[in-house]
Amino acid sequence: MTIFARLFRRQRVPPIHEMLTSAEKTLIVDDRARLEDSPYFLPKDTQEDNRLLLQHTALYAAIGNHYLAPIKPDIVNILDVGTGTGIWPVDMSRLFPSAHIVGIDLIPSSFHYSSNAACTFLCCDILKGLPFPDQQFDFVHQRLLVAGIPTTHWPDVIRELIRVTRPGGWIELLEVGITVKNAGPETTRLLTWMADMSKERGFDISAIPQLGELLVRAGLQTVEIQNIPAPLGTWGGRVGGMLKSDVLSAFDAVKGAYCTQASMPTEQYEAWVKIVAEEWEQRQASYIFHAAYGKRAMEK
Amino acid sequence: MSTAPPHQFDLSREQAQRLIAYIQTYRSYSWEHQLPSRERNELLRLLQMVQGKVMSCLDQQQEIVRLVTTTEESTAMQIMASVLIAMYGMKQSSNERDKTLVDLARLKNHIKQLIPGAVRSKTQAFYP
């Protein structure tokens, strides 16, 4: 691409401004840094960044692509909400070389990549609204924000995602709840307990499978809902091994928050998770990822 | 990627809608019953592309949907049709099932005529 083409493409991005959130302040709980003024209760540290990078690779292998909606190859503007390290926009820019991809997340220290001609990274809190004009993007993607969006906020978040999507454009959500295929009794018990802990914090993760219905109720068209099992454990080969590592790291990430909340010694939690992980291998368990994607209606 | 010329399918809008439904059904089936593998994922991506193309054609509101596919995408559709024929074949006989089987067989044969040397899919590992 020539320098002029790069400049032109830069100028084609509408005027969007950086918004620094107040969520730069972190709190140390169980040796992990968490955001102080945000309902988001996963850590924001190097260990979590590494988990997110592994998760990105594992998910691609498990579900087969970085995105699931049947979008056209010539789309121009893509938004990734809750971009974390920014690896999704970077990999998508290779699949869609003509597109410009905006990745947003709560704090700039999450970003592993700098903004360039293909990708722009911004600090933004989806719970406070998106700093973009209406009908800006051809494809809006949001993945695994189950720990960042309180249950009562989901309809508002979906409304905001739709607002910034152009008519005919696609919106895609990918989430996990507490559904595990071939779950054993300890897995069921642990996930139920985690759901109870999350509910006390305002996150009803057992409601995640209904997200597709929220898209339908919000007026999206041709909504597809897919419940995708992904193997947990080495029984599922390399992919299963990666996902098991990812989920165990995620369980470790919430350990401090949940154990403090439940007054449970961390050793007890760790022993429980160890039993659960053994169950996954014995029973050949699979975590269900809930995907839902649909089109914003064309204007009449 | 093959350098063979693309294939062109002319579909009615109804046929295009059915093709989308077949792709959706296959993707669900594949995720549910096949362990992740490079081959499985490649097939899924190809069918996702085809679905996008079909939906894009439908958006143009023409009576005839002109679908242009690569050899790889056509082969993916042929494999999809074979798997769905086997899947529906195991269901209890009904008018709807029988109509679907006939439709899938027609689709498979149509593609076969376009790509006579189509690659057969290897057996893939199944979930317990």
Side-chain angles (χ1 to χ4, degrees):
Chain A
M1 190 185 288
T2 66
I3 289 172
F4 290 113
R6 283 207 180 101
L7 281 174
F8 176 75
R9 195 161 83 166
R10 207 29 155 170
Q11 287 164 12
R12 276 200 289 137
V13 175
I16 44 180
H17 55 279
E18 289 199 12
M19 279 170 58
L20 286 175
T21 69
S22 62
E24 283 284 358
K25 287 184 275 184
T26 55
L27 191 70
I28 305 296
V29 176
D30 186 32
D31 294 331
R32 305 292 298 271
R34 295 170 207 273
L35 295 175
E36 197 171 10
D37 297 323
S38 169
Y40 186 72
F41 62 94
L42 285 177
K44 281 288 189 183
D45 57 18
T46 306
Q47 191 178 337
E48 178 66 359
D49 286 353
N50 290 337
R51 183 187 75 76
L52 291 176
L53 292 170
L54 168 68
Q55 179 175 270
H56 175 79
T57 303
L59 274 178
Y60 180 77
I63 66 178
N65 210 342
H66 294 304
Y67 65 99
L68 296 173
I71 53 180
K72 297 183 292 183
D74 57 350
I75 56 171
V76 174
N77 286 310
I78 301 174
L79 173 65
D80 186 30
V81 177
T83 200
T85 61
I87 190 165
W88 189 91
V90 166
D91 276 352
M92 284 293 281
S93 69
R94 294 187 188 114
L95 298 179
F96 297 92
S98 302
H100 188 86
I101 306 165
V102 177
I104 64 168
D105 207 279
L106 284 171
I107 57 172
S109 53
S110 293
F111 303 142
H112 278 220
Y113 306 91
S114 305
S115 295
N116 56 26
C119 303
T120 299
F121 296 105
L122 298 177
C123 288
C124 175
D125 185 350
I126 180 62
L127 299 181
K128 295 187 169 94
L130 293 169
F132 307 115
D134 293 355
Q135 303 180 18
Q136 171 84 5
F137 298 99
D138 302 297
F139 179 41
V140 173
H141 173 265
Q142 182 177 285
R143 178 170 85 177
L144 299 172
L145 285 195
V146 59
I149 300 176
T151 305
T152 52
H153 283 69
W154 270 104
D156 289 335
V157 165
I158 287 170
R159 255 193 301 275
E160 192 61 359
L161 299 181
I162 293 172
R163 180 184 70 75
V164 300
T165 306
R166 66 157 186 81
W170 286 86
I171 292 164
E172 176 172 322
L173 305 176
L174 181 74
E175 287 294 342
V176 279
I178 55 169
T179 312
V180 170
K181 184 178 168 184
N182 299 334
E186 288 305 313
T187 301
T188 303
R189 206 166 67 88
L190 176 66
L191 290 175
T192 305
W193 178 80
M194 283 182 167
D196 290 341
M197 293 297 107
S198 299
K199 211 167 182 176
E200 285 178 16
R201 293 172 166 268
F203 297 87
D204 184 4
I205 56 177
S206 65
I208 288 296
Q210 278 81 54
L211 277 183
E213 293 304 318
L214 287 184
L215 293 187
V216 173
R217 269 186 252 149
L220 287 190
Q221 297 183 331
T222 61
V223 174
E224 278 186 50
I225 297 168
Q226 298 279 6
N227 298 315
I228 303 169
L232 277 175
T234 53
W235 72 269
R238 187 182 68 94
V239 177
M242 280 199 291
L243 277 166
K244 180 181 172 183
S245 291
D246 171 44
V247 174
L248 289 178
S249 293
F251 283 6
D252 189 71
V254 298
K255 175 175 66 180
Y258 285 162
C259 286
T260 304
Q261 193 178 333
S263 301
M264 176 186 285
T266 56
E267 297 78 12
Q268 183 181 338
Y269 177 89
E270 286 161 5
W272 196 3
V273 168
K274 194 164 174 243
I275 292 169
V276 161
E278 283 163 6
E279 236 179 28
W280 296 343
E281 296 285 5
Q282 287 156 11
R283 290 173 175 260
Q284 297 186 337
S286 298
Y287 218 135
I288 306 296
F289 284 85
H290 303 282
Y293 39 94
K295 281 172 80 165
R296 179 172 173 169
M298 300 292 285
E299 280 178 341
K300 289 175 187 164
Chain B
M1 191 178 290
S2 167
T3 52
H7 305 131
Q8 188 172 289
F9 296 85
D10 282 347
L11 304 163
S12 67
R13 293 186 68 81
E14 199 194 320
Q15 284 173 322
Q17 294 284 10
R18 287 207 300 272
L19 178 56
I20 290 172
Y22 294 147
I23 293 173
Q24 289 169 336
T25 302
Y26 180 83
R27 288 174 90 193
S28 294
Y29 176 86
S30 183
W31 278 315
E32 181 68 33
H33 294 286
Q34 294 170 344
L35 278 172
S37 70
R38 206 154 46 111
E39 193 180 55
R40 181 204 80 164
N41 290 346
E42 196 179 320
L43 203 67
L44 285 171
R45 287 193 291 271
L46 287 166
L47 290 172
Q48 187 183 353
M49 284 295 287
V50 172
Q51 185 180 345
K53 287 181 181 181
V54 176
M55 294 186 85
S56 184
C57 289
L58 282 171
D59 283 345
Q60 287 162 30
Q61 302 293 331
Q62 305 287 334
E63 279 305 311
I64 297 295
V65 171
R66 184 148 286 168
L67 174 64
V68 178
T69 59
T70 63
T71 302
E72 291 82 9
E73 287 166 352
S74 299
T75 305
M77 285 200 288
Q78 193 178 20
I79 295 170
M80 172 196 76
S82 295
V83 169
L84 291 180
I85 287 168
M87 187 190 92
Y88 279 105
M90 292 198 292
K91 290 183 188 249
Q92 202 168 3
S93 182
S94 67
N95 279 342
E96 183 151 347
R97 184 207 83 145
D98 295 347
K99 266 172 61 179
T100 303
L101 282 172
V102 166
D103 194 42
L104 282 166
R106 269 200 207 118
L107 172 66
K108 186 179 165 186
N109 283 332
H110 184 69
I111 299 167
K112 202 173 165 183
Q113 284 161 24
L114 293 172
I115 42 168
V119 173
R120 291 188 194 284
S121 168
K122 288 192 295 190
T123 305
Q124 300 184 43
F126 282 80
Y127 272 107

